[in-house]
Amino acid sequence: MARYVVVGANRGIGLELTRQLKARGEEIIAACRSASPELRETGAEIHEHVDVTDDESVERFTAATKANGPVDVLVHVSGILKGDNLDTLDWDTLREQFEVNTLGPLRVARSFAPFMKSGGKIGILSSRVGSMADNTSGGNYGYRMSKAAVNMAGVNLAHDLKSLGVAVFLLHPGFVQTEMTGGRGHIGPDESARGLIARLDALGMDETGTFWHADGSQLPW
Ligand SMILES: NC(=O)c1ccc[n+]([C@@H]2O[C@H](COP(=O)([O-])OP(=O)(O)OC[C@H]3O[C@@H](n4cnc5c(N)ncnc54)[C@H](OP(=O)(O)O)[C@@H]3O)[C@@H](O)[C@H]2O)c1
């Protein structure tokens, strides 16, 4: 049994990751701002009032988790999408997406890094729309930029945490039917979570600092 932390576990992909990992017998520490009835049903250990934009709440969560031992796998799922285009750009909304999608994972990863096991893994939910090479349409400035920036944060973390024996991966979950997409998508959260778990199981230090689709293909930056 490995010790997993899932941040952003109350709905969507994070909830499904929690469900599937718990079902296969892992120890799951599930963080969220407010627990849903569905998260409570998983039987995971739940920590509420964890806002990834807030230092104090992240530090409190890390301290409570480390008190019970080191972590094998940290999965940062929390994210927001605020659609925009060149005409509708709003600076506050752009900043908000950087706060959650870029600084959030960096804050959580930095806080947990000293309490990860050697051989541990950090998976950060990014998006292929943050890939320069994959951008063929424009639009969604805030979301695209914040995910491109978290890719850089993840590669930096991969370098900086190598000496601790901790590998870091950027993960694209697919186009998934969740609240974020208004229920649109190619796959359900169950299929996405299965793919993400398979990636986390398969990837190791040889692949640290790389970007993967849940379907198993490696993505370009
Ligand atoms: N769905 C897709 O097609 C897709 C594609 C590419 C990438 N992704 C990425 O995959 C991840 C999960 O997406 P999803 O589709 O499952 O989205 P979702 O259903 O909208 O869930 C988003 C999660 O992020 C949490 N969150 C938002 N702001 C937070 C904050 N400040 N602090 C802590 N938690 C916060 C939400 O918690 P609350 O309930 O408290 O708001 C919720 O648990 C995101 O990073 C997203 O960008 C999704």
Side-chain angles (χ1 to χ4, degrees), residues 7-15 31-35 49-54 57-58 76-81 96 99-101 104-105 124-129 143 147 171-182 184-187 189 192 196:
V7 177
N10 61 313
R11 60 187 165 96
I13 296 163
L15 172 64
C32 57
R33 292 191 289 191
S34 175
H49 311 296
V50 180
D51 185 326
V52 301
T53 68
D54 179 70
S57 79
V58 170
H76 190 287
V77 185
S78 296
I80 56 171
L81 162 62
E96 192 186 344
E99 282 291 344
V100 179
N101 296 344
I124 297 173
L125 274 278
S126 176
S127 172
R128 70 185 302 172
V129 304
Y143 189 67
K147 292 295 191 181
L171 301 169
H172 171 68
F175 182 28
V176 190
Q177 295 141 0
T178 63
E179 273 185 54
M180 179 173 281
T181 60
R184 289 175 301 118
H186 297 140
I187 55 172
S192 174
L196 292 169

Side-chain angles (χ1 to χ4, degrees), residues 10-83:
N10 61 313
R11 60 187 165 96
I13 296 163
L15 172 64
E16 195 53 41
L17 283 169
T18 301
R19 227 181 236 142
Q20 291 184 22
L21 288 166
K22 185 76 188 155
R24 81 173 191 188
E26 311 293 0
E27 179 187 353
I28 310 299
I29 298 141
C32 57
R33 292 191 289 191
S34 175
S36 59
E38 293 83 1
L39 177 58
R40 293 194 190 285
E41 278 168 20
T42 64
E45 176 186 320
I46 297 171
H47 293 250
E48 289 186 286
H49 311 296
V50 180
D51 185 326
V52 301
T53 68
D54 179 70
D55 278 334
E56 198 194 321
S57 79
V58 170
E59 289 306 323
R60 200 181 325 116
F61 171 52
T62 308
T65 304
K66 81 171 191 211
N68 294 322
V71 170
D72 293 279
V73 182
L74 166 68
V75 194
H76 190 287
V77 185
S78 296
I80 56 171
L81 162 62
K82 308 273 181 178

Side-chain angles (χ1 to χ4, degrees), residues 62-141:
T62 308
T65 304
K66 81 171 191 211
N68 294 322
V71 170
D72 293 279
V73 182
L74 166 68
V75 194
H76 190 287
V77 185
S78 296
I80 56 171
L81 162 62
K82 308 273 181 178
D84 61 32
N85 59 47
L86 201 50
D87 295 325
T88 64
L89 279 187
D90 173 84
W91 307 117
D92 288 337
T93 310
L94 287 172
R95 279 189 206 98
E96 192 186 344
Q97 289 174 93
F98 273 95
E99 282 291 344
V100 179
N101 296 344
T102 311
L103 305 186
L106 181 57
R107 175 180 287 109
V108 171
R110 187 178 77 149
S111 182
F112 271 94
F115 313 112
M116 301 286 302
K117 277 188 195 157
S118 178
K121 304 176 188 183
I122 297 177
I124 297 173
L125 274 278
S126 176
S127 172
R128 70 185 302 172
V129 304
S131 161
M132 311 284 170
D134 203 56
N135 186 349
T136 54
S137 65
N140 284 326
Y141 280 78

